[in-house]
Amino acid sequence: MKKIANQILYNLKKEKSSFISFGVIILITALILNCAAVLLCQVDSAYDTKFEKLSTATLNAIVPEVQNSSELEKAIDETEKVEKIESHTAIMTEATVKDFNGADFTMNTVFYNIDDKRTLNNFEIVNESENDVDNPIYIPLYVSNFGGFALNDEIIYVIDGKYHSFTVAGVIEEMQYGNYGLGLLCVYLPKEEFAELADSYSDKAVVEYSMSVKSDASLDEVKDDVSKAIENKGVMALSILDSESVKGTRTMVTDLLVLILAAFALIILAVSVFLSNFKVKNAIESEITNMSVLKALGYTSAQIVASITLPYAIVSLLFAVLGIGLSYTLLPVLCSVLTVQSGFSFAVSFDLLSFVCVACILCGVVSFFTYISARKIKKTQPIDGLRGNISSKHTKKNYFPLEETRGNTKFLLVLKQIIASTKQNVMLFLVSFVLTVLIAFSGTLFYNVVVEPDNFMSALSDEVADVIIYPKSDSVSELELKLGNDNRVQNSLKYMSAIVKIEEKTVTAFACEDFSKVRNDVCYMGENPKDADEIALGSAFEENMKIGDTVRVTVDGITKSFQVTGFVQSVNLQGELCELSLEGYNSFFDQNQTPALYVYLENADNAEKITKEYKSDYTALVTDTVNSYKLQTEAQDMYMGITVVLVVAIFAVTILIVLFILYIVIKSLLVKRRQELGIYKAMGYTSSQLILQTTGSFMPVSMVAIVLSSFLAIYYMPAIYQFIFETLGVMKNNIEISFGFLMLFAVAQILVNIMISIILCMPIRKISAYVLIKE
Amino acid sequence: MSNKKEIIIKATKLKKSFITGDTEQTIFENLDLNIYRGDFTVIMGSSGAGKSTLMYSLSGMDRPSSGEVVWNDKTITSLSDDRLAIFRRKNCGFVFQQIYLLDKMSLMDNVLTASALSGANKKESVKYAKELFELVNIPEITRKKFPSQVSGGEAQRAGIVRAVINKPEILFADEPTGALNSNNSTAVLDVFTKLHNDGQSIILVTHDKKTALRGNRVLYVKDGKIYGECDLGVYTSDSKYREAKLNNFLTEMGW
Ligand SMILES: Nc1ncnc2c1ncn2[C@@H]1O[C@H](COP(=O)(O)OP(=O)(O)O)[C@@H](O)[C@H]1O
Ligand SMILES: [Mg+2]
């Protein structure tokens, strides 16, 4: 090691700037990879730790208070593998939060009494107001972060059209519910406020049974057993939530982020491997004489190989450590973004395992591949090296002999140059191809979120109308008439949601008078239900059922059979849903239920006006109206914001990488071809001719790779998006691959490449024919 | 000195110095020199005297620190780099001691790479290249080889073909036989003589007496100036008189 230390230092110093460029690429890789690794290692355990710390129940069942009995409690308690149960009364209702992140936000909400004694499902107060406030309420982190409610802010809940104003007295963290994805949120009220609310809504009173389950039990089985036990008592559970599904929805975005970061890092790692290989091969070619001199002096091949390989190992280790260090400045930002979505706060700490893994992977992969390339020097006899014979393989055949080949000589010279630098071109081809995948990915995302936002939104949301009107029970047809006569309205649909039970599973049901008229058709297989005995099931049922099967559906204690016509998706409900025809749903009741009216407008800009108008002008007919267009555009704006940031970040990183790669390639090219360029200059070739000839020798290859990759993206991009959406539970997406957009991005990428190359080739102007005179 | 001869290059008050760190090294200063059409001018001097530096200043390959170089009424010292490159491709051919052929190309392709710049018809260039290869005695089969596969003499003769393919006004050669053994040297020098006899103007730098004999005008560079010059007359393969004259001259110069 000592003997070759000088050689290593020499190699490092000689190409300082190239090594720094290479190092920066490694640094970016390490930064991204370490973010992924730390999140992977820590979020899960942070979640579990908090889950344990708050003694969160693994299973929670909510039943209407009127149906509760001591027998029911006994039955649940005696269910096999249930370790411990605890019950609380609460109020469960659909409630709309006003000005939730700028819009109305409707969600099933459970109101708890904060003063109840609890041994299970504890919560932690993260932030509490110091002063006494009117109508205090304690809201979960998710509502606070996502809805934009701070301490002492007013928060209005609308229940059955009635407004309830509270003041945020505290923000709490709990692990039982969590985010929008579950379709169920909770809030806590102090004793008096709770009692007041309970008085007004005695019909919405519920009892919640929280259970801890024996450690050897299968959660799914216990869940089934519990719901059977409840059913056997003739009770309809309003919700049975298990902690696994909760965890799944709450960590979904984190998992997705880890996946994308890791994929991104691996692509850049591949790029750095190509690059280091290229550099090593190049170094061997241009340094073969020096190396042979060393060999002749008695250095062993191993020592020489080490002197070439070790600088890469050292640089990648050094910059990997630097990148890992830097990642800890980025991680807190990622954490706070993820907290908003996951509804639980966590801070990452230095992670030794990630550190070791990331550093070892980067350093190891780079060392391994550089060693493979450097190894061939072992086979070279010193005397061959001294004669410069190592490249004899390349000079055996004269490609495109100028004498015989037809065509412009200057053009043929470019072709010769392309052939002469095959290795470099293979590397550039691969790198350009791979980087184009990133560009195509972000380009497609940009197109579908910003240019054609409906494509993206339809995958993430349930049915969205422009305005939703909740009529009073007997005024549905009258309102429909009014809407029909309103020329600002395109059409309206009777639509409703409710909680039903399919076999043993409690899910959200959507009923609509005509699913063929909805704007966002969520059916991805088979058909929507039309007749009274038809049903379409959520993707969660796809495993055990098929189209044509008969299923038992229970609503309000009545069970009927339905025929499965198709499958539908929902990212928010994790596939736990179903669709019924309106007649199908009403067949459970003696009297038709009052649906909501989903109103679709000719011009969505009128949504705000119409929402207000119908509420104030038809007080006799309407309980409430919601501007759901606004709600949707606000969500859309958020996704657009994130997408633009993401696309810009991917672009910036890609351009940065391209810049460093071209820098390394061109630099080594200029060093290698210095004399050759001098000869050309002596012959009278101008700088601009040579800059064009040089860029011409590698640009076409990278252009072909970019165009080819963009073109192939039409085929592979849908698969990538399908994969990502499927991990989110979306089976059918409307992501469009715009050929024009891909080509636009490809052209932009090519132009940037050309510009960078020409700028980097500028030093050719400084190479004078005079270099030849100095031996 | 024959007064009837036409001047190609007129250099006046030429100065060249190199600045290394804080010290300035002047190679030559206040140097006036004419080069004539049809002459085989030889520049002699001891190693490090500044022969090459002078030649490259005259040829537009390098810029003098001050002074003027005029070619047929055209002042090249004021041209931009690219203009100078275009000027070189029309007017100068270069032959180097290290030969400097492009090693990834056959001898023929090396030559055609240079002819591509002249804008001449490719067929004609190929034809002329073949004639020149005949002239320098490189057979067809050798022309297809790579520089690394031929002898130094063959490579240098190909180098000369490349230098004259565009019919330059002046052929410049910097110690063209410096790296060759004596047989190869003679063959290369014979090519120069042939070209000179055909009317080619040549400027050749050497510190070898035998090589210098090929010229008709010998300049001696010393102490930063043209220390002296000698008219040898036309080369004949066996002239004791010319040899004696050169010997006398060199002794006088302090060789
Ligand atoms: N680019 C340069 N930088 C510094 N010194 C130089 C440079 N080129 C030549 N010299 C110096 O100029 C002097 C003359 O060089 P040169 O013309 O090559 O001599 P020669 O007569 O052997 O051809 C030498 O001392 C050399 O060191
Ligand atoms: Mg010299």
Side-chain angles (χ1 to χ4, degrees), chain A residues 285 389 394-410 412-413 416-417 420 672-673 675-689 765 768-775, chain B residues 16 18 52-53 56 61-62 81-86 88-90 92 94 96-106 108-110 112-117 122 126 130 140 143-144 146 148-149 162 166 174:
Chain A
E285 224 164 83
N389 258 355
H394 293 279
T395 48
K396 276 281 146 60
K397 185 155 165 41
N398 186 21
Y399 292 96
F400 302 111
L402 298 175
E403 180 187 347
E404 290 131 42
T405 317
R406 296 169 59 105
N408 179 297
T409 307
K410 281 175 208 148
L412 292 177
L413 286 176
K416 272 174 178 290
Q417 194 57 50
K672 213 167 88 178
R673 290 190 64 206
Q675 179 176 315
E676 197 180 326
L677 289 166
I679 297 173
Y680 276 110
K681 283 228 167 158
M683 281 188 229
Y685 278 80
T686 62
S687 294
S688 25
Q689 278 175 329
R765 290 154 54 136
S768 81
Y770 205 65
V771 298
L772 302 178
I773 305 157
K774 306 282 119 230
E775 289 94 299
Chain B
K16 179 75 188 179
F18 293 107
S52 304
T53 308
Y56 289 116
M61 184 89 124
D62 187 21
D81 279 356
D82 277 355
R83 294 252 141 244
L84 213 48
I86 294 165
R88 275 200 303 270
R89 73 168 80 133
K90 288 200 189 112
C92 313
F94 292 95
F96 307 96
Q97 178 175 353
Q98 298 79 8
I99 307 174
Y100 291 133
L101 291 172
L102 297 167
D103 57 3
K104 293 187 196 87
M105 286 184 200
S106 68
M108 181 53 123
D109 282 3
N110 262 282
L112 293 179
T113 301
S115 76
L117 288 170
K122 189 164 151 185
V126 171
K130 283 181 177 166
E140 184 105 32
R143 295 169 207 168
K144 292 216 162 84
F146 287 90
S148 59
Q149 296 166 326
R162 183 180 66 179
N166 290 332
D174 191 356

Side-chain angles (χ1 to χ4, degrees), chain A residues 388-623:
Chain A
N389 258 355
I390 186 158
S391 54
S392 57
K393 201 172 76 197
H394 293 279
T395 48
K396 276 281 146 60
K397 185 155 165 41
N398 186 21
Y399 292 96
F400 302 111
L402 298 175
E403 180 187 347
E404 290 131 42
T405 317
R406 296 169 59 105
N408 179 297
T409 307
K410 281 175 208 148
F411 175 69
L412 292 177
L413 286 176
V414 172
L415 288 185
K416 272 174 178 290
Q417 194 57 50
I418 292 179
I419 297 280
S421 26
T422 320
K423 264 181 239 140
Q424 167 197 308
N425 283 327
V426 168
M427 194 269 305
L428 272 177
F429 185 89
L430 292 174
V431 166
S432 304
F433 193 95
V434 162
L435 288 178
T436 305
V437 176
L438 291 181
I439 298 275
F441 178 83
S442 58
T444 303
L445 192 65
F446 187 80
Y447 182 79
N448 286 283
V449 177
V450 178
V451 183
E452 295 284 345
D454 286 348
N455 290 349
F456 188 73
M457 292 311 293
S458 67
L460 291 190
S461 59
D462 302 317
E463 178 56 11
V464 274
D466 295 323
V467 175
I468 300 173
I469 298 180
Y470 296 97
K472 291 199 168 147
S473 45
D474 292 327
S475 9
V476 178
S477 29
E478 201 179 336
L479 262 174
E480 277 187 308
L481 211 66
K482 292 217 183 308
L483 287 168
N485 290 334
D486 191 330
N487 56 14
R488 295 166 302 178
V489 174
Q490 203 173 56
N491 66 317
S492 69
L493 281 176
K494 293 197 272 286
Y495 198 97
M496 61 196 305
S497 65
I499 290 182
V500 304
K501 227 167 97 174
I502 295 173
E503 304 290 339
E504 309 302 332
K505 225 174 195 156
T506 305
V507 302
T508 305
F510 295 99
C512 178
E513 59 176 306
D514 188 351
F515 278 107
S516 68
K517 288 192 183 139
V518 297
R519 199 177 273 174
N520 186 18
D521 186 2
V522 290
C523 179
Y524 65 92
M525 193 195 286
E527 278 166 27
N528 288 306
K530 276 198 213 70
D531 294 334
D533 64 341
E534 288 182 344
I535 189 170
L537 298 176
S539 49
F541 294 92
E542 203 190 315
E543 223 174 289
N544 303 318
M545 315 248 181
K546 57 183 189 302
I547 293 172
D549 282 359
T550 309
V551 292
R552 287 181 305 126
V553 180
T554 310
V555 181
D556 227 20
I558 299 166
T559 302
K560 287 177 176 267
S561 285
F562 285 80
Q563 205 184 12
V564 178
T565 57
F567 287 95
V568 294
Q569 65 188 18
S570 164
V571 64
N572 295 322
L573 300 170
Q574 303 273 290
E576 308 222 324
L577 74 159
C578 71
E579 278 182 354
L580 294 169
S581 68
L582 209 55
E583 292 122 318
Y585 182 68
N586 278 327
S587 68
F588 287 97
F589 307 94
D590 302 334
Q591 205 186 353
N592 279 359
Q593 301 290 297
T594 312
L597 289 174
Y598 275 37
V599 182
Y600 303 88
L601 303 178
E602 295 287 352
N603 180 358
D605 293 339
N606 290 325
E608 182 69 26
K609 218 165 113 201
I610 291 175
T611 308
K612 289 213 172 99
E613 256 177 48
Y614 276 77
K615 173 127 192 173
S616 56
D617 296 358
Y618 305 112
T619 35
L621 306 176
V622 172
T623 26

Side-chain angles (χ1 to χ4, degrees), chain B residues 116-185:
Chain B
L117 288 170
S118 69
N121 177 297
K122 189 164 151 185
K123 245 190 204 149
E124 276 167 30
S125 301
V126 171
K127 194 168 149 247
Y128 186 45
K130 283 181 177 166
E131 276 171 40
L132 289 172
F133 273 120
E134 292 298 327
L135 181 86
V136 302
N137 257 326
I138 294 184
E140 184 105 32
I141 177 159
T142 313
R143 295 169 207 168
K144 292 216 162 84
K145 289 186 181 171
F146 287 90
S148 59
Q149 296 166 326
V150 302
S151 77
E154 284 169 324
Q156 189 59 294
R157 278 177 279 149
I160 297 172
V161 172
R162 183 180 66 179
V164 296
I165 185 77
N166 290 332
K167 306 190 172 126
E169 187 107 58
I170 300 180
L171 170 61
F172 293 90
D174 191 356
E175 316 239 16
T177 57
L180 303 177
N181 63 28
S182 96
N183 278 349
N184 274 327
S185 286

Side-chain angles (χ1 to χ4, degrees), chain A residues 445-446 449-450 456 638-648:
Chain A
L445 192 65
F446 187 80
V449 177
V450 178
F456 188 73
M638 183 189 76
Y639 285 117
M640 277 189 196
I642 294 177
T643 306
V644 169
V645 169
L646 196 70
V647 169
V648 168

